[in-house]
Amino acid sequence: MTAFLCLGKVKVALFEAALLVAVLAAATSTFYALSTPVSAPMGLYTPEQIHISFGDTTNDVVVMWSTGTRSENGSTFSGSVWYGNVSEQLVYAAPSQMWLFTEANPDGVQWVSRATIRNLTPGSTYYYQIMTDTHTQSDIYKFTIPKLLSEAYPMQFVMFGDMGRPGEGSPTVPHLVTEARSGDNTAIIHIGDMAYDLDSDGGKRGDEFMRRIQDAAAIIPYMTCPGNHEIPGNFSHYRNRFTMPTREETPDTGSLWWSMDIGPVHLISYDTEVFFVRKDLVQAQIDLSDSRPHQSQCAGAAQEGSMDCGGRPSSHVLL
Protein backbone atom coordinates (compact mmCIF):
# COMPACT_ATOMS: atom_id res chain seq x y z
CA MET A 1 0.00 0.00 0.00
CA THR A 2 1.41 3.36 -1.03
CA ALA A 3 1.31 6.30 1.34
CA PHE A 4 1.53 9.90 0.14
CA LEU A 5 2.35 13.00 2.11
CA CYS A 6 0.54 15.35 -0.27
CA LEU A 7 -3.26 15.64 -0.34
CA GLY A 8 -3.40 17.38 -3.66
CA LYS A 9 -3.80 21.04 -4.38
CA VAL A 10 -4.95 23.77 -2.05
CA LYS A 11 -8.44 24.57 -3.29
CA VAL A 12 -9.29 27.49 -1.01
CA ALA A 13 -7.11 29.18 1.61
CA LEU A 14 -8.85 31.84 3.67
CA PHE A 15 -8.58 33.31 7.15
CA GLU A 16 -10.00 30.42 9.11
CA ALA A 17 -8.99 27.30 7.25
CA ALA A 18 -7.14 25.84 4.32
CA LEU A 19 -9.53 23.74 2.27
CA LEU A 20 -7.67 20.88 0.66
CA VAL A 21 -9.02 18.71 -2.13
CA ALA A 22 -7.76 15.15 -2.64
CA VAL A 23 -8.53 13.42 -5.93
CA LEU A 24 -8.53 9.63 -6.12
CA ALA A 25 -9.85 7.04 -8.56
CA ALA A 26 -13.06 5.65 -7.08
CA ALA A 27 -16.71 6.48 -6.30
CA THR A 28 -18.11 9.86 -5.43
CA SER A 29 -21.24 11.20 -3.71
CA THR A 30 -23.46 14.12 -4.59
CA PHE A 31 -25.54 15.72 -1.85
CA TYR A 32 -27.51 18.91 -2.33
CA ALA A 33 -30.69 20.59 -1.19
CA LEU A 34 -33.75 21.13 -3.37
CA SER A 35 -34.67 24.27 -1.51
CA THR A 36 -32.99 26.75 0.81
CA PRO A 37 -32.29 25.05 4.17
CA VAL A 38 -33.39 26.58 7.45
CA SER A 39 -30.55 28.82 8.66
CA ALA A 40 -32.02 29.82 12.02
CA PRO A 41 -34.58 28.33 14.40
CA MET A 42 -38.18 29.03 13.31
CA GLY A 43 -39.88 27.49 16.32
CA LEU A 44 -39.34 25.15 19.22
CA TYR A 45 -40.17 22.08 17.12
CA THR A 46 -38.49 23.14 13.87
CA PRO A 47 -35.54 20.89 12.92
CA GLU A 48 -32.36 22.97 12.78
CA GLN A 49 -28.61 22.42 12.62
CA ILE A 50 -29.25 19.58 10.16
CA HIS A 51 -26.19 17.63 9.10
CA ILE A 52 -25.38 14.21 7.70
CA SER A 53 -22.48 11.78 7.89
CA PHE A 54 -21.66 8.32 6.66
CA GLY A 55 -22.56 5.39 8.89
CA ASP A 56 -20.25 2.39 9.18
CA THR A 57 -20.34 2.11 5.37
CA THR A 58 -21.04 4.57 2.59
CA ASN A 59 -24.37 2.81 2.08
CA ASP A 60 -25.60 4.15 5.44
CA VAL A 61 -26.32 7.83 6.07
CA VAL A 62 -26.79 9.34 9.54
CA VAL A 63 -29.03 12.43 9.81
CA MET A 64 -28.80 14.65 12.91
CA TRP A 65 -30.71 17.75 13.95
CA SER A 66 -31.68 19.78 17.01
CA THR A 67 -34.92 21.26 18.32
CA GLY A 68 -35.74 23.77 21.02
CA THR A 69 -37.87 21.34 23.01
CA ARG A 70 -38.85 17.70 23.18
CA SER A 71 -41.97 16.14 21.70
CA GLU A 72 -45.33 17.11 23.15
CA ASN A 73 -45.95 13.65 24.57
CA GLY A 74 -42.61 13.67 26.38
CA SER A 75 -41.19 10.63 24.57
CA THR A 76 -37.63 10.29 23.31
CA PHE A 77 -38.96 9.50 19.81
CA SER A 78 -38.68 12.79 17.95
CA GLY A 79 -39.98 11.80 14.53
CA SER A 80 -38.55 10.22 11.42
CA VAL A 81 -36.52 10.88 8.33
CA TRP A 82 -38.71 10.11 5.34
CA TYR A 83 -36.90 9.20 2.15
CA GLY A 84 -37.34 7.73 -1.30
CA ASN A 85 -36.08 7.78 -4.86
CA VAL A 86 -38.58 10.45 -5.95
CA SER A 87 -39.07 13.75 -4.13
CA GLU A 88 -42.86 13.44 -4.33
CA GLN A 89 -42.81 9.88 -2.95
CA LEU A 90 -40.91 9.76 0.35
CA VAL A 91 -42.34 6.38 1.24
CA TYR A 92 -39.68 4.98 3.59
CA ALA A 93 -39.11 6.10 7.17
CA ALA A 94 -36.03 5.88 9.39
CA PRO A 95 -37.04 6.46 13.04
CA SER A 96 -34.99 8.75 15.23
CA GLN A 97 -34.10 8.96 18.88
CA MET A 98 -33.86 12.17 20.88
CA TRP A 99 -31.76 12.94 23.93
CA LEU A 100 -31.22 15.87 26.25
CA PHE A 101 -27.82 17.52 25.86
CA THR A 102 -26.98 19.67 28.90
CA GLU A 103 -23.34 18.86 29.72
CA ALA A 104 -21.39 22.12 29.18
CA ASN A 105 -24.46 23.33 27.26
CA PRO A 106 -26.63 25.30 29.72
CA ASP A 107 -27.81 27.94 27.24
CA GLY A 108 -27.68 26.12 23.92
CA VAL A 109 -30.34 24.16 22.06
CA GLN A 110 -30.57 21.01 24.15
CA TRP A 111 -32.68 18.44 22.31
CA VAL A 112 -30.67 16.45 19.76
CA SER A 113 -32.04 13.80 17.39
CA ARG A 114 -30.40 11.16 15.23
CA ALA A 115 -31.71 8.77 12.57
CA THR A 116 -29.79 6.31 10.41
CA ILE A 117 -30.88 5.43 6.88
CA ARG A 118 -29.41 2.00 6.25
CA ASN A 119 -28.63 -0.33 3.36
CA LEU A 120 -29.00 2.21 0.57
CA THR A 121 -28.25 1.10 -2.98
CA PRO A 122 -24.86 2.09 -4.38
CA GLY A 123 -25.13 4.63 -7.16
CA SER A 124 -28.79 5.46 -6.38
CA THR A 125 -30.22 8.89 -5.67
CA TYR A 126 -32.45 9.49 -2.63
CA TYR A 127 -34.51 12.39 -1.36
CA TYR A 128 -35.12 12.93 2.35
CA GLN A 129 -37.06 15.14 4.73
CA ILE A 130 -37.20 15.34 8.53
CA MET A 131 -40.72 15.10 9.94
CA THR A 132 -41.11 15.58 13.69
CA ASP A 133 -43.94 14.06 15.69
CA THR A 134 -45.48 17.55 15.85
CA HIS A 135 -45.68 17.49 12.03
CA THR A 136 -43.02 20.16 11.72
CA GLN A 137 -40.86 19.39 8.73
CA SER A 138 -37.58 20.37 7.18
CA ASP A 139 -36.86 21.14 3.56
CA ILE A 140 -36.30 18.23 1.19
CA TYR A 141 -32.69 17.28 0.48
CA LYS A 142 -31.14 15.06 -2.16
CA PHE A 143 -28.09 12.79 -2.10
CA THR A 144 -26.51 10.06 -4.21
CA ILE A 145 -24.84 7.02 -2.66
CA PRO A 146 -21.32 6.27 -3.96
CA LYS A 147 -21.02 3.65 -6.66
CA LEU A 148 -19.34 0.32 -6.10
CA LEU A 149 -15.57 0.25 -6.09
CA SER A 150 -15.69 -1.78 -9.32
CA GLU A 151 -17.27 1.23 -11.05
CA ALA A 152 -14.22 3.40 -10.54
CA TYR A 153 -14.29 7.09 -11.33
CA PRO A 154 -12.72 10.21 -9.77
CA MET A 155 -13.16 10.83 -6.05
CA GLN A 156 -12.61 14.17 -4.37
CA PHE A 157 -12.71 15.35 -0.73
CA VAL A 158 -12.85 18.75 0.91
CA MET A 159 -10.55 18.81 3.94
CA PHE A 160 -9.67 21.54 6.39
CA GLY A 161 -9.07 22.27 10.04
CA ASP A 162 -9.62 25.22 12.38
CA MET A 163 -12.80 26.99 11.29
CA GLY A 164 -14.95 29.00 13.61
CA ARG A 165 -14.65 32.75 13.45
CA PRO A 166 -17.69 34.19 15.27
CA GLY A 167 -20.37 36.09 13.41
CA GLU A 168 -22.08 35.76 10.06
CA GLY A 169 -19.11 37.06 8.08
CA SER A 170 -17.15 33.82 8.05
CA PRO A 171 -15.29 33.99 4.71
CA THR A 172 -14.68 30.25 4.35
CA VAL A 173 -18.29 29.08 4.62
CA PRO A 174 -19.52 30.34 1.22
CA HIS A 175 -16.69 28.48 -0.49
CA LEU A 176 -17.48 25.39 1.56
CA VAL A 177 -21.12 25.56 0.47
CA THR A 178 -20.09 26.00 -3.15
CA GLU A 179 -17.94 22.87 -2.96
CA ALA A 180 -20.74 20.94 -1.27
CA ARG A 181 -23.26 21.91 -3.93
CA SER A 182 -20.90 21.26 -6.83
CA GLY A 183 -21.43 17.50 -6.72
CA ASP A 184 -17.70 16.99 -7.17
CA ASN A 185 -16.91 15.91 -3.61
CA THR A 186 -17.48 12.68 -1.74
CA ALA A 187 -17.30 14.14 1.76
CA ILE A 188 -16.19 17.06 3.88
CA ILE A 189 -13.60 16.20 6.53
CA HIS A 190 -13.22 18.80 9.30
CA ILE A 191 -10.02 18.03 11.19
CA GLY A 192 -10.64 19.61 14.56
CA ASP A 193 -11.08 23.04 16.18
CA MET A 194 -14.67 24.05 15.54
CA ALA A 195 -16.53 27.26 16.34
CA TYR A 196 -13.89 28.56 18.80
CA ASP A 197 -15.48 27.01 20.78
CA LEU A 198 -18.59 24.83 20.58
CA ASP A 199 -19.15 25.26 24.33
CA SER A 200 -18.61 29.06 24.38
CA ASP A 201 -21.44 31.32 25.54
CA GLY A 202 -23.05 28.39 27.29
CA GLY A 203 -23.30 26.45 24.03
CA LYS A 204 -24.77 29.25 21.92
CA ARG A 205 -21.57 29.54 19.92
CA GLY A 206 -21.89 25.87 18.97
CA ASP A 207 -25.48 26.37 17.83
CA GLU A 208 -24.43 29.36 15.71
CA PHE A 209 -21.65 27.33 14.13
CA MET A 210 -23.91 24.37 13.32
CA ARG A 211 -26.51 26.66 11.74
CA ARG A 212 -23.83 28.37 9.69
CA ILE A 213 -22.45 25.12 8.23
CA GLN A 214 -25.90 23.60 7.62
CA ASP A 215 -26.02 24.73 3.99
CA ALA A 216 -23.03 22.47 3.39
CA ALA A 217 -23.31 19.83 6.13
CA ALA A 218 -26.92 18.92 5.32
CA ILE A 219 -26.08 18.10 1.72
CA ILE A 220 -22.77 16.21 1.90
CA PRO A 221 -21.40 13.90 4.62
CA TYR A 222 -19.68 16.12 7.19
CA MET A 223 -17.05 13.89 8.75
CA THR A 224 -15.21 15.18 11.81
CA CYS A 225 -12.14 14.68 13.95
CA PRO A 226 -11.76 16.35 17.38
CA GLY A 227 -9.06 18.89 18.14
CA ASN A 228 -7.95 20.56 21.35
CA HIS A 229 -10.81 23.09 21.15
CA GLU A 230 -13.28 20.19 21.53
CA ILE A 231 -11.82 19.07 24.90
CA PRO A 232 -14.05 21.13 27.29
CA GLY A 233 -16.75 19.17 29.09
CA ASN A 234 -15.00 15.87 28.34
CA PHE A 235 -15.59 16.44 24.61
CA SER A 236 -19.32 16.75 25.37
CA HIS A 237 -20.20 19.04 22.46
CA TYR A 238 -18.29 16.93 19.98
CA ARG A 239 -19.83 13.70 21.29
CA ASN A 240 -23.38 15.05 21.23
CA ARG A 241 -23.27 17.06 18.02
CA PHE A 242 -21.59 14.55 15.69
CA THR A 243 -22.00 10.86 14.91
CA MET A 244 -19.14 9.06 13.20
CA PRO A 245 -18.62 5.43 12.06
CA THR A 246 -18.01 2.73 14.70
CA ARG A 247 -19.94 4.74 17.31
CA GLU A 248 -21.87 1.63 18.34
CA GLU A 249 -18.59 -0.20 18.91
CA THR A 250 -17.33 2.56 21.18
CA PRO A 251 -20.44 4.00 22.89
CA ASP A 252 -18.50 5.43 25.85
CA THR A 253 -16.24 7.51 23.64
CA GLY A 254 -18.88 8.68 21.17
CA SER A 255 -17.11 8.99 17.81
CA LEU A 256 -13.86 10.40 19.23
CA TRP A 257 -12.06 8.05 16.87
CA TRP A 258 -13.32 5.99 13.96
CA SER A 259 -12.41 4.26 10.73
CA MET A 260 -14.18 3.29 7.53
CA ASP A 261 -13.64 2.56 3.85
CA ILE A 262 -14.61 5.13 1.24
CA GLY A 263 -14.04 3.63 -2.19
CA PRO A 264 -10.41 2.48 -2.37
CA VAL A 265 -9.37 4.51 0.67
CA HIS A 266 -9.27 3.26 4.25
CA LEU A 267 -9.85 6.37 6.37
CA ILE A 268 -8.80 6.43 10.05
CA SER A 269 -9.59 9.39 12.30
CA TYR A 270 -7.68 9.63 15.57
CA ASP A 271 -8.39 11.71 18.64
CA THR A 272 -4.88 12.97 19.29
CA GLU A 273 -6.11 14.88 22.35
CA VAL A 274 -6.55 11.75 24.46
CA PHE A 275 -2.77 11.46 24.61
CA PHE A 276 -2.80 14.70 26.59
CA VAL A 277 -6.06 14.71 28.58
CA ARG A 278 -7.45 11.13 28.60
CA LYS A 279 -4.51 8.76 28.64
CA ASP A 280 -6.83 6.04 29.91
CA LEU A 281 -8.37 5.95 26.42
CA VAL A 282 -5.17 5.66 24.43
CA GLN A 283 -5.06 1.87 24.34
CA ALA A 284 -8.75 1.59 23.44
CA GLN A 285 -8.16 3.83 20.45
CA ILE A 286 -5.18 1.77 19.35
CA ASP A 287 -7.15 -1.45 19.77
CA LEU A 288 -10.01 -0.19 17.61
CA SER A 289 -7.65 0.91 14.86
CA ASP A 290 -5.95 -2.48 14.87
CA SER A 291 -9.24 -4.40 14.92
CA ARG A 292 -10.78 -2.73 11.85
CA PRO A 293 -9.37 -4.52 8.80
CA HIS A 294 -9.60 -2.82 5.44
CA GLN A 295 -12.82 -3.76 3.69
CA SER A 296 -13.79 -3.17 0.08
CA GLN A 297 -17.10 -2.36 -1.55
CA CYS A 298 -16.93 -5.27 -3.98
CA ALA A 299 -15.50 -8.78 -3.86
CA GLY A 300 -11.88 -9.03 -4.87
CA ALA A 301 -11.24 -5.30 -4.81
CA ALA A 302 -8.23 -4.05 -2.91
CA GLN A 303 -7.78 -0.87 -0.95
CA GLU A 304 -5.45 1.50 -2.78
CA GLY A 305 -4.70 4.05 -0.10
CA SER A 306 -4.85 4.90 3.57
CA MET A 307 -5.74 8.29 5.00
CA ASP A 308 -5.04 9.13 8.65
CA CYS A 309 -6.56 12.21 10.29
CA GLY A 310 -5.57 13.83 13.57
CA GLY A 311 -5.85 17.26 15.13
CA ARG A 312 -2.20 17.47 16.20
CA PRO A 313 0.42 18.63 15.62
CA SER A 314 -0.97 21.02 12.95
CA SER A 315 -4.42 19.85 11.86
CA HIS A 316 -3.14 17.92 8.87
CA VAL A 317 -4.00 14.72 7.01
CA LEU A 318 -1.52 12.13 5.75
CA LEU A 319 -2.51 10.23 2.67
Side-chain angles (χ1 to χ4, degrees):
M1 181 176 296
T2 304
F4 303 88
L5 185 60
C6 181
L7 280 174
K9 63 180 181 179
V10 175
K11 185 76 171 185
V12 179
L14 294 171
F15 302 118
E16 300 167 317
L19 278 73
L20 308 180
V21 179
V23 182
L24 301 165
T28 188
S29 302
T30 303
F31 292 72
Y32 57 92
L34 297 181
S35 55
T36 303
V38 177
S39 58
M42 299 177 64
L44 290 177
Y45 299 105
T46 303
E48 60 161 293
Q49 306 177 39
I50 301 166
H51 55 288
I52 62 175
S53 59
F54 285 129
D56 282 355
T57 75
T58 54
N59 296 335
D60 301 334
V61 172
V62 178
V63 184
M64 294 190 70
W65 67 95
S66 298
T67 52
T69 189
R70 67 188 305 175
S71 58
E72 290 182 331
N73 63 13
S75 74
T76 56
F77 171 74
S78 57
S80 299
V81 174
W82 288 84
Y83 65 99
N85 297 109
V86 180
S87 61
E88 295 81 12
Q89 299 180 30
L90 306 181
V91 295
Y92 307 106
S96 67
Q97 288 204 320
M98 171 186 280
W99 65 93
L100 182 63
F101 166 36
T102 59
E103 186 179 5
N105 189 40
D107 301 316
V109 177
Q110 295 183 339
W111 292 100
V112 183
S113 298
R114 177 175 60 227
T116 303
I117 308 174
R118 301 183 186 277
N119 301 318
L120 299 173
T121 303
S124 295
T125 296
Y126 294 88
Y127 301 81
Y128 79 93
Q129 182 178 46
I130 299 167
M131 179 73 73
T132 72
D133 63 352
T134 61
H135 306 292
T136 305
Q137 62 191 35
S138 71
D139 292 298
I140 296 175
Y141 300 90
K142 176 184 178 181
F143 62 83
T144 300
I145 294 297
K147 294 181 179 181
L148 291 171
L149 185 57
S150 58
E151 303 177 65
Y153 66 107
M155 170 185 284
Q156 183 167 290
F157 298 95
V158 177
M159 302 182 183
F160 60 94
D162 298 60
M163 185 177 75
R165 196 178 78 179
E168 297 301 324
S170 172
T172 301
V173 172
H175 296 276
L176 190 63
V177 173
T178 297
E179 289 295 329
R181 290 177 174 171
S182 70
D184 296 332
N185 300 290
T186 300
I188 293 171
I189 304 177
H190 188 156
I191 311 169
D193 294 354
M194 306 164 190
Y196 286 96
D197 292 340
L198 292 169
D199 68 305
S200 296
D201 301 326
K204 291 181 179 179
R205 178 72 58 80
D207 292 338
E208 176 189 349
F209 176 80
M210 298 303 296
R211 291 174 190 137
R212 199 190 319 157
I213 67 169
Q214 177 177 292
D215 286 3
I219 61 179
I220 186 172
Y222 199 90
M223 311 303 289
T224 57
C225 172
N228 63 298
H229 283 267
E230 284 66 67
I231 291 174
N234 190 27
F235 300 94
S236 62
H237 279 262
Y238 181 86
R239 289 185 289 107
N240 281 278
R241 292 183 184 274
F242 300 102
T243 296
M244 294 295 112
T246 68
R247 182 186 180 96
E248 294 181 359
E249 296 180 28
T250 57
D252 295 334
T253 55
S255 305
L256 293 181
W257 54 82
W258 51 274
S259 66
M260 71 174 303
D261 295 330
I262 304 178
V265 177
H266 185 65
L267 179 61
I268 303 175
S269 175
Y270 295 100
D271 181 358
T272 56
E273 305 314 309
V274 302
F275 291 90
F276 300 91
V277 298
R278 288 294 306 274
K279 293 185 178 181
D280 57 307
L281 296 177
V282 170
Q283 189 58 49
Q285 180 171 217
I286 295 172
D287 291 344
L288 177 63
S289 300
D290 291 342
S291 68
R292 296 281 293 185
H294 296 187
Q295 302 294 324
S296 61
Q297 292 182 321
C298 61
Q303 299 301 134
E304 298 180 5
S306 179
M307 186 184 302
D308 297 342
C309 306
R312 295 195 188 220
S314 59
S315 294
H316 65 280
V317 179
L318 299 180
L319 181 65

